[in-house]
Amino acid sequence: MAEEKKSPNQELQEKISVKKESAWIQLKDKTNSIYNFGEEYKSFIGKNKTERLCVRTIIEMIEKAHFSSINTKGALKPGDAVYKNIKGKSLIACKVGSDPMKVRIIGAHVDSPRLDLKPYPLYEDAEVALLKSHYYGGIKKYQWVNIPLAIHGVAFTREGKTVEIHIGENPDEPRFIIPDLLPHLAKDQMKKTGETVIEGEDLNIIFAHIPVDDKDMKEKIKFNVLKYLNSTYGLIDEDFIAADIELVPALQPVDIGIDRGLIAAYGQDDRACAYTALRALLDANECNATVLLYLADREEIGSMGDTGAESFVFINFMREYIRKTNISATWDELLENALAISADVTGALDPTFKSVNDPNNVSYLGHGVSIEKYGGRGGKYSTSEAHAEYMHYLRSLATKHGIPWQTGEQGKIDIGGGGTIAMFMSRYGMDCVDAGPCMLGMHSPFEVTSKVDIYCTYLLYKAFFEDIR
Ligand code: MN
Ligand code: MN
């Protein structure tokens, strides 16, 4: 059958209109690589559900690839690979390029929304012992009830011994739960707004149930918990104060859909970008620029604090880098001339809640890595914005390497939005743009991404590290 001949206008239309095609079609020859990458990614995020676990595992991974702590290095030369561990919660890893005056940065965050324990969390009521939590990050609180929870954290005994607690990830371990009210008695609760149907002070986690057999004692269940914590870990009640303890969904990543095209997992914001950027750093060959992976903590609560992107740790690292590479530049010159990607996720168009987005300016699952010129909210508040020149550069980079990409805004103008670390990185004067996969159910206990978008994100980050400009 002869192909239908296109009219000159049809031909021109193809040339000058944006084509929005599924990345699954564009990368149909790479389906195996996409699935394989998805398996490695799932394995990583299933095992690393806190910022501390991410940083520890990533240090193990990069040390295998011959990165060493910058503290152990007197001098740095092209080809050297070093990292700085920032209080076990944030990390800067860097490969010195053949031109150490040039710097390329990909910055992601390794913290995710979760439930932290209060300073005095433990109490007993109605025949159970409970832990009071203070949620971290922007969550819909009602999503965190009636799901299995695991506990991860570190505490210090009065003698100063470090104690690690990890319960609820292995099949033979117990889980924890915040039970919701039964519908039969929820007449008043159901009249509340979504924001108050479960309130902050309702996030009380069931931790134990069996009382000690001693009729003269009060708070018999609480006592049994303290006895267990003391005999197992050497901890006393007061040690919760000298602790970072987090409750996270005790759910392992799974494939979604009969075609296994999607992944549901906890913490994909932003470990999807942390993992893909890490892989890009490990896999990037022969970099001309010094390439730097920055994994920030505390992004979900506004990047404040000494492990967040708003702190000066980045400057401190650059000072040390300059001193040890012995290049004649100041940290502000290096950072002002650096190129950066703020590696973070964005919202995908949700077929059930389409009204919150402008359908022409939203990211779609499976359409490749989303490169977003700006984030923030109505009126472009609380965001930086990538310049036309830099957007052109990234668009060209993706096109040159055949990497499917898309762009969009997170939400209709007056509805809402979101921030990333882009605004903190761009403060130094560097060009910076947000790029990462889009997702459904962001900040929920089980977020959904497309495997092809995760793969495209990795490809773009790697191309960015390897590019010469
Ligand atoms: Mn994020
Ligand atoms: Mn987030």
Side-chain angles (χ1 to χ4, degrees), residues 223-245:
F223 172 73
N224 246 352
V225 170
L226 287 172
K227 215 169 116 185
Y228 174 81
L229 292 176
N230 192 253
S231 65
T232 313
Y233 302 106
L235 293 171
I236 64 165
D237 208 356
E238 190 187 277
D239 296 334
F240 281 113
I241 292 168
D244 290 337
I245 299 179

Side-chain angles (χ1 to χ4, degrees), residues 40 87 90 93 230 409:
E40 290 159 5
K87 302 194 172 170
S90 170
N230 192 253
E409 287 185 340

Side-chain angles (χ1 to χ4, degrees), residues 109 113 269 299-300 344-345 442-443:
H109 64 95
D269 174 10
E299 192 278 339
E300 294 296 357
D344 211 339
V345 300
M442 194 190 294
H443 287 199

Side-chain angles (χ1 to χ4, degrees), residues 431-445:
D431 272 309
C432 185
V433 67
D434 282 301
C438 62
M439 61 164 53
L440 296 175
M442 194 190 294
H443 287 199
S444 79

Side-chain angles (χ1 to χ4, degrees), residues 176-328:
F176 311 98
I177 199 164
I178 303 165
D180 194 4
L181 185 60
L182 63 166
H184 317 64
L185 300 181
K187 194 160 67 73
D188 290 342
Q189 185 198 29
M190 295 307 281
K191 285 186 199 140
K192 292 183 179 177
T193 61
E195 214 167 316
T196 56
V197 70
I198 294 290
E199 299 191 41
E201 295 294 342
D202 299 334
L203 295 171
N204 303 320
I205 303 145
I206 293 185
F207 194 59
H209 168 53
I210 305 173
V212 69
D213 183 15
D214 186 336
K215 65 176 178 349
D216 298 325
M217 290 209 47
K218 282 183 185 151
E219 299 196 305
K220 296 189 178 78
I221 305 169
K222 179 178 171 181
F223 172 73
N224 246 352
V225 170
L226 287 172
K227 215 169 116 185
Y228 174 81
L229 292 176
N230 192 253
S231 65
T232 313
Y233 302 106
L235 293 171
I236 64 165
D237 208 356
E238 190 187 277
D239 296 334
F240 281 113
I241 292 168
D244 290 337
I245 299 179
E246 307 175 9
L247 276 292
V248 297
L251 302 165
Q252 281 303 305
V254 295
D255 288 344
I256 295 286
I258 51 164
D259 50 13
R260 298 178 174 265
L262 304 160
I263 293 171
Y266 164 68
Q268 298 203 68
D269 174 10
D270 184 31
R271 293 167 196 143
C273 298
Y275 180 75
T276 46
L278 167 73
R279 286 288 305 269
L281 178 75
L282 293 174
D283 299 349
N285 305 309
E286 312 271 319
C287 295
N288 164 251
T290 287
V291 294
L292 219 141
L293 169 67
Y294 176 38
L295 299 176
D297 179 29
R298 305 199 70 78
E299 192 278 339
E300 294 296 357
I301 49 86
S303 296
M304 305 303 157
D306 57 351
T307 52
E310 190 256 5
S311 77
F312 297 135
V313 287
F314 211 78
I315 297 173
N316 297 343
F317 181 86
M318 292 319 292
R319 282 204 179 105
E320 193 168 354
Y321 168 83
I322 288 165
R323 210 168 56 238
K324 292 183 172 173
T325 48
N326 202 23
I327 53 174
S328 53

